[in-house]
Amino acid sequence: MERLDKFLCDSGAGTRSQVKAILKAGRVTVDGKAETDGSRKIDPALCTVVLDGEALGGKRRMVVMLNKPAGFVTATEDPSQQTVMELLPKPWQHLDLKPVGRLDKATEGLLLFTNDGELLHRLISPKKEVPKVYYARHEGQASADDVAAFAAGLTLRDDTVCLPARLEPIGPGESRITVREGKYHQVRRMMAARGMTVTYLERQQEGALTLDGLSRGQVRELTEEEIALLEQSL
Ligand code: URA
């Protein structure tokens, strides 16, 4: 059994104060009867809770895609800097969503979040080698030798050895880079190892998922089909 107001928060209905107002406004029914008392105990497995005509499912598995803007650190909290958690809609901030891996503060693009710990683990596991595609602008021009060095598996300046990766020069000072691991500052360090300084970085793809028209700063929940697609890359 759990409190109705907690169940509503966990279902994404709103923050605690929003849920209080929602209940007061008579927008919630439990098993067909209007309910305004948030302290009422319900059994989520047995009760049907409906908000504005829509049944709520309790704390369900969520996978969310953000098109991250620059200027936010990938962390659940930070004493002095804005975090990516602040970009999630308020009602989602209580659903235990965690960022999947990390993008640097300056990096933009595709960042996933989930409250499914097991999926999170598999997505960031080095063993799974989920491909991630980045667009980079950089000083210097990528040469055929650089492409070959990426394909062979680069050794970084601190002697870290990287898995084979794909470097595709796509214009003057512009490249697409595909890596299958997530080391700290990986793309920037790989490019630096070849004498190129990254000036802009965007993640465009993770597994089979792309940003697919999602604007910078926007978030959306993945559909079950998209989650299945993602799991296929694991
Ligand atoms: N590689 C980097 O260097 N930075 C990122 O944010 C992601 C990959």
Side-chain angles (χ1 to χ4, degrees), residues 68 74 102-108 132 134 179 181-190 198 201-203:
K68 178 190 174 297
T74 308
R102 186 190 295 252
L103 289 181
D104 299 336
K105 186 175 174 185
T107 303
E108 300 195 310
K132 289 166 275 273
Y134 294 87
V179 297
E181 52 193 339
K183 296 187 197 302
Y184 179 67
H185 289 334
Q186 175 143 10
V187 172
R188 294 174 202 275
R189 288 160 75 213
M190 288 172 96
V198 171
L201 192 61
E202 178 191 44
R203 179 151 71 196

Side-chain angles (χ1 to χ4, degrees), residues 5 9 13-24 90 94:
D5 49 10
C9 282
T15 60
R16 287 172 76 96
S17 58
Q18 285 168 337
V19 160
K20 217 169 163 181
I22 284 168
L23 283 162
K24 203 168 162 201
K90 265 259 156 72
H94 308 274

Side-chain angles (χ1 to χ4, degrees), residues 103-197:
L103 289 181
D104 299 336
K105 186 175 174 185
T107 303
E108 300 195 310
L110 199 164
L111 182 65
L112 297 175
F113 296 75
T114 184
N115 57 4
D116 178 344
E118 196 263 336
L119 177 65
L120 174 76
H121 220 76
R122 281 192 289 142
L123 280 167
I124 60 176
S125 163
K127 284 197 210 103
K128 299 292 180 188
E129 298 186 11
V130 178
K132 289 166 275 273
V133 182
Y134 294 87
Y135 163 79
R137 283 200 292 273
H138 47 85
E139 287 164 8
Q141 182 59 28
S143 67
D145 279 356
D146 295 324
V147 172
F150 268 63
L154 274 182
T155 301
L156 303 181
R157 286 174 171 167
D158 66 355
D159 293 333
T160 304
V161 179
C162 298
L163 288 176
R166 188 161 174 200
L167 171 64
E168 299 166 81
I170 52 177
E174 282 183 301
S175 297
R176 190 175 300 117
I177 295 134
T178 307
V179 297
R180 293 175 175 274
E181 52 193 339
K183 296 187 197 302
Y184 179 67
H185 289 334
Q186 175 143 10
V187 172
R188 294 174 202 275
R189 288 160 75 213
M190 288 172 96
M191 294 297 274
R194 299 297 305 175
M196 292 173 280
T197 305

Side-chain angles (χ1 to χ4, degrees), residues 216-232:
R216 196 80 71 212
Q218 296 301 111
V219 279
R220 70 170 180 83
E221 196 174 348
L222 296 193
T223 61
E224 283 301 325
E225 291 75 42
E226 287 174 313
I227 297 173
L229 204 64
L230 188 63
E231 289 196 313
Q232 275 168 27

